[in-house]
Structure formats: C-alpha cells, structure tokens
Amino acid sequence: SQKIEQNSEALNIQEGKTATLTCNYTNYSPAYLQWYRQDPGRGPVFLLLIRENEKEKRKERLKVTFDTTLKQSLFHITASQPADSATYLCALDQMNSGGYQKVTFGIGTKLQVIP
Amino acid sequence: DTGVSQDPRHKITKRGQNVTFRCDPISEHNRLYWYRQTLGQGPEFLTYFQNEAQLEKSRLLSDRFSAERPKGSFSTLEIQRTEQGDSAMYLCASSLGGGPAGELFFGEGSRLTVL
C-alpha cells in the first residue's frame, strides 16, 4: 500500500539550531515533492517544491533534499526562530491512474523552537 | 485579496442536517481540490476538479457527499444528513497548470462541528 511517513512526534529544538524533518514514502513515484507550513486553525502554506530530477533546493533559511532511491526527503530550517514553530507537511505530486496529478499529504511534523 | 476564499469559516450543525461549503479559487486556476483534515492528521484528499469536470472522488466519501464546480469557477461541497464523524476542517485548494499540480494555494478552511 502507499504510505507517506513523517515523524508524528513533535520536534523540539533550541533557537538558532538547525531543524531537520524527514519524509519517507513507499509505493509512490512522485514527479514533485512539496513542503507546506500549517499554523493552528489555518490552511497550509506552500514553502518549497523539488522535482524528481533535483537533489537539493534552497530558499532563504530553508533547504530540501530529495533522494528518489531512498524514497526520502529531508527538510532543513537553519538558524531556527520561535516564529518557525508550526506543523510542516510533506506532499507528493504524482500522476495517478486517472491520468492527472494528485497531491497527497503526510501527517505532518510539529516543530517547536524554544527561545 | 485575490487568494482562495472559503465560506463559511465555521459551521455548527445538528446531526442529520445538511451543510454546504463554498470555495472561490484564484480566478485563473483551472484545478480545484477539496481536502478534509481532522486534529493531528494531514489533509486527506476528497475530490478534484479540472475546470468543471470532477475527475476523482475519494472512496472515503460516502454518497452523502457531493461536490460541484459549475462553469469551472467556484465550487460547492455539500454534506447531507451530517454525522458526528463528519466534524473536521474542510480545505479547498487551487492550482494552475497542465502538468504536475505544482504549488497548491489553500483557503483558510471551513470548520464543521456536528453536535
């Protein structure tokens, strides 16, 4: 069966450190892998997208890696700040049997940055 | 504001009543998604429209759920004979493109509480 696994336990880190979140998947062949941020009671907000032929993508303090052999993506936030505290969702963008792109989300990892 | 808007933001209803949610996507976006999210879970795919065509409906949805997107513009999601298990946040997202879905733009969601 298809699975997207993110660490369901909250990640607590000290301000200024690098946070690393993991997304593993099985039985998917995504064209894109996306990361979103979600604050309580709000809709998800897009952060970064990485294509299957890309190894790494950066945007300001954010970095995403994508290993299609390991079927894993790592999401890094460097110099973390309390304002980075949120839930981070991994999403796979894959062509499905119906011939269109379907975006499927993981459970999310809650990040808490401690001042 | 030219983002995705959803209405109502909150709905409290009694079991057995019908409810309808509306989503206005970004005007030039041809793709529209509905997701459902419960506490501690990631967004769960419900249905997808490309223009006015509903291309997929999740098997998780019973016949009590119906969605429309007349003229490929706004969309409505109706739940008939609501049950307590329908209590959740209903999220709408839109995107533009003919290939991979790419970035999804989410609304702030419609929170349903069934008493």
Side-chain angles (χ1 to χ4, degrees):
Chain A
S1 63
Q2 294 180 315
K3 287 184 183 178
I4 303 172
E5 294 178 316
Q6 294 186 256
N7 190 346
S8 59
E9 293 181 7
L11 176 64
N12 296 320
I13 65 164
Q14 208 69 36
E15 182 177 4
K17 301 292 187 183
T18 295
T20 299
L21 285 66
T22 304
C23 175
N24 295 294
Y25 59 92
T26 54
N27 294 321
Y28 282 99
S29 298
Y32 293 171
L33 189 144
Q34 305 179 27
W35 284 89
Y36 289 77
R37 169 184 173 141
Q38 187 172 28
D39 292 289
R42 309 293 296 276
V45 174
F46 173 81
L47 295 175
L48 276 174
L49 175 154
I50 186 165
R51 293 173 173 78
E52 60 181 333
N53 60 351
E54 297 177 317
K55 296 291 186 186
E56 182 178 300
K57 200 81 166 280
R58 291 176 185 260
K59 179 182 176 183
E60 297 173 351
R61 295 184 296 111
L62 308 180
K63 185 178 85 171
V64 173
T65 63
F66 191 12
D67 189 325
T68 55
T69 301
L70 290 179
K71 296 187 183 296
Q72 181 182 76
S73 174
L74 299 178
F75 177 79
H76 306 271
I77 305 174
T78 58
S80 59
Q81 304 167 0
D84 295 327
S85 299
T87 295
Y88 291 87
L89 299 161
C90 166
L92 303 186
D93 187 344
Q94 175 178 286
M95 181 76 75
N96 80 344
S97 58
Y100 67 89
Q101 299 295 136
K102 183 173 177 179
V103 182
T104 306
F105 285 82
I107 192 172
T109 298
K110 186 174 181 179
L111 173 67
Q112 187 76 33
V113 180
I114 303 164
Chain B
D1 185 11
T2 58
V4 177
S5 62
Q6 292 188 244
D7 184 71
R9 291 291 311 280
H10 303 275
K11 178 72 176 178
I12 300 173
T13 191
K14 292 183 179 178
R15 189 178 55 174
Q17 298 295 305
N18 299 343
V19 296
T20 299
F21 301 115
R22 177 181 169 120
C23 172
D24 286 273
I26 294 172
S27 59
E28 63 269 26
H29 284 185
N30 57 339
R31 297 177 174 179
L32 188 145
Y33 300 79
W34 283 98
Y35 289 86
R36 177 172 64 188
Q37 188 174 29
T38 54
L39 197 62
Q41 301 296 312
E44 180 181 45
F45 173 82
L46 293 180
T47 191
Y48 163 74
F49 290 86
Q50 183 149 315
N51 299 309
E52 66 274 9
Q54 185 176 22
L55 298 187
E56 184 173 341
K57 181 177 174 180
S58 169
R59 282 174 287 179
L60 297 172
L61 288 186
S62 71
D63 291 341
R64 297 184 297 106
F65 287 73
S66 63
E68 294 182 340
R69 192 184 182 196
K71 302 179 183 178
S73 56
F74 71 92
S75 176
T76 58
L77 176 68
E78 181 182 16
I79 309 174
Q80 296 182 327
R81 304 181 303 282
T82 52
E83 301 173 356
Q84 288 185 325
D86 297 330
S87 296
M89 175 78 88
Y90 291 84
L91 293 163
C92 175
S94 68
S95 71
L96 177 66
E103 176 182 355
L104 297 188
F105 293 80
F106 279 88
E108 295 289 26
S110 293
R111 180 167 296 284
L112 173 65
T113 301
V114 182
L115 302 176

